[in-house]
Amino acid sequence: MAKQNQEKFRWDRKHLLGLKDMSRQEIEFILDTARGFEQISTRSIKKAPTLRGKVVVNLFFEDSTRTRNSFTLAARRLSADVVEFTKKSSSVSKGETLIDTARNLEAMGIDIVVIRHNAGGAAKLLSRHIDACVINAGDGFDEHPTQALLDVYTIREVKGTLEGLKIGIVGDIAHSRVARSNIWAMTKLGAEIILVGPPTLMPAQVSRLPVRVSYSLDAVLEELDVINMLRIQFERLGSNPFPSVREYSHFFGLTVDRMKRAKPDLTVMHPGPINRGLEIESEVADGKNSVILRQVANGLAIRMAVLFLVNQGATEQAKKV
Ligand code: CP
């Protein structure tokens, strides 16, 4: 975003629920804000007082390594207090609902809830029932906005812009909230998206999405500037979407052989966790084109920016009341 536009723009959202309804200007504003936070992580004392006195709750109903730890670290770097909630050790096991859980936590005085849930729409539902800011850290098959933000941030860093890029999103699109948030963020920033995978792993309403579809990776590989390899989400599969793991790998795996046919500067991405040897060979995941760990590093700056902005949005909204 041009500097003068950034100065004029006033962020007033107190929730980050998804990217589908967000404008290009808002997405670019988050990316530019994250750029400003990046340098905090390079200091010897990695702290800023931005959220001192604020309480952030990580309300995770599904497992996570990257998103959860990244939000925890981001909140602590901004000097917030962090409460870690896990479904397994909570009263959810005794039948307490999501809304009751959140309201009880809110009664203890919290400011921001970061929620991951297996139900699509859980973050939106929560935002209607509590006063605290709500950040979606992944809801069902719906959205994973901070993952997509860190993805586009990383692409912008590597390629300079997303305008005109061809980006392949490969694999289990049907069960992927990352794919959905990627589609919204990347197309708004000017990229063309090609979804690649077997028909059984494409979403039912794929023709309504602003994308091209290919059922063959080899047919589109040479066109791509960026490739985002998705994990097969075995935990969400009802029945076998392909005859065998070996066949899936043969047709859709990113292998050293396929890399020889791709553009030399193809940027290789993966949101993690990786099924090594299934959707991507280890030599490619760890190779020179891979930005997988850079994505993780950038996630920290993105999540600091999002925590900062929703808190600022809450202040703006309070002024309007
Ligand atoms: N990319 C991602 O959401 O990873 P986690 O499930 O480990 O948070």
Side-chain angles (χ1 to χ4, degrees):
M1 197 194 293
K3 197 164 185 286
Q4 72 217 42
N5 288 344
Q6 199 185 6
E7 279 161 10
K8 273 189 216 152
F9 184 78
R10 197 146 192 90
W11 181 273
D12 65 355
R13 285 186 190 256
K14 64 178 276 194
H15 307 300
L16 180 76
L17 304 175
L19 301 180
K20 186 178 180 184
D21 301 322
M22 203 168 267
S23 67
R24 176 176 184 149
Q25 191 182 30
E26 286 176 296
I27 291 172
E28 288 182 335
F29 191 77
I30 300 172
L31 304 182
D32 294 342
T33 305
R35 170 81 57 224
F37 278 115
E38 217 176 54
Q39 51 86 26
I40 294 175
S41 299
T42 64
R43 294 182 195 161
S44 57
I45 297 172
K46 299 176 176 55
K47 281 260 188 207
T50 318
L51 293 183
R52 185 181 289 153
K54 301 289 177 186
V55 179
V56 176
V57 178
N58 274 333
L59 191 61
F60 274 57
F61 290 80
E62 281 186 345
D63 294 340
S64 164
T65 295
R66 281 146 290 271
T67 313
R68 180 184 201 119
N69 290 311
S70 180
F71 266 115
T72 301
L73 211 48
R76 290 197 177 136
R77 290 219 169 144
L78 297 179
S79 306
D81 294 322
V82 184
V83 176
E84 301 285 356
F85 168 97
T86 47
K87 183 182 167 187
K88 281 176 201 130
S89 59
S90 75
S91 289
V92 170
S93 63
K94 300 171 201 161
E96 192 161 33
T97 65
L98 165 64
I99 293 168
D100 279 340
T101 302
R103 278 190 177 147
N104 277 271
L105 291 167
E106 194 168 43
M108 298 176 207
I110 61 172
D111 300 285
I112 301 172
V113 177
V114 179
I115 178 172
R116 170 168 288 193
H117 202 282
N118 57 358
K124 202 169 279 178
L125 177 76
L126 197 60
S127 71
R128 293 191 187 125
H129 287 88
I130 61 173
D131 287 332
C133 306
V134 176
I135 299 173
N136 183 1
D139 62 331
F141 307 160
D142 199 19
E143 285 231 33
H144 191 349
T146 58
Q147 177 67 46
L149 288 166
L150 72 89
D151 290 341
V152 293
Y153 186 87
T154 305
I155 296 170
R156 217 170 67 154
E157 229 178 34
V158 175
K159 302 285 195 194
T161 178
L162 276 82
E163 204 67 62
L165 294 183
K166 285 193 183 175
I167 302 178
I169 303 178
V170 182
D172 185 359
I173 317 289
H175 302 102
S176 179
R177 52 201 178 204
V178 173
R180 278 171 190 73
S181 287
N182 266 192
I183 291 166
W184 306 129
M186 290 170 180
T187 53
K188 282 169 205 263
L189 296 184
E192 181 188 344
I193 304 298
I194 309 175
L195 299 183
V196 185
T200 47
L201 288 178
M202 286 293 163
Q205 306 289 336
V206 72
S207 60
R208 292 197 188 165
L209 296 170
V211 297
R212 264 170 68 193
V213 175
S214 173
Y215 301 120
S216 162
L217 178 54
D218 290 324
V220 296
L221 181 65
E222 290 164 32
E223 293 179 50
L224 301 178
D225 301 294
V226 176
I227 192 164
N228 195 6
M229 303 303 298
L230 301 178
R231 181 174 71 89
I232 301 295
Q233 302 198 30
F234 288 106
E235 72 277 20
R236 299 190 206 273
L237 297 181
S239 57
N240 280 347
F242 39 81
S244 73
V245 161
R246 220 160 67 188
E247 272 157 317
Y248 178 83
S249 229
H250 176 72
F251 289 108
F252 297 103
L254 192 56
T255 59
V256 172
D257 267 0
R258 284 205 165 95
M259 285 302 289
K260 287 178 191 155
R261 283 185 279 122
K263 286 186 182 173
D265 64 346
L266 175 71
T267 299
V268 174
M269 308 181 81
H270 194 303
I274 297 173
N275 292 314
R276 284 176 184 266
L278 174 48
E279 66 265 7
I280 188 165
E281 278 183 353
S282 275
E283 291 89 328
V284 181
D286 303 328
K288 68 177 176 50
N289 295 59
S290 169
V291 294
I292 295 171
L293 291 178
R294 197 159 163 183
Q295 289 172 260
V296 178
N298 286 337
L300 195 53
I302 286 291
R303 288 173 179 126
M304 286 165 86
V306 167
L307 287 165
F308 165 73
L309 288 172
V310 295
N311 183 59
Q312 181 180 299
T315 308
E316 289 295 320
Q317 305 249 332
K319 280 187 211 163
K320 290 180 190 167
V321 178

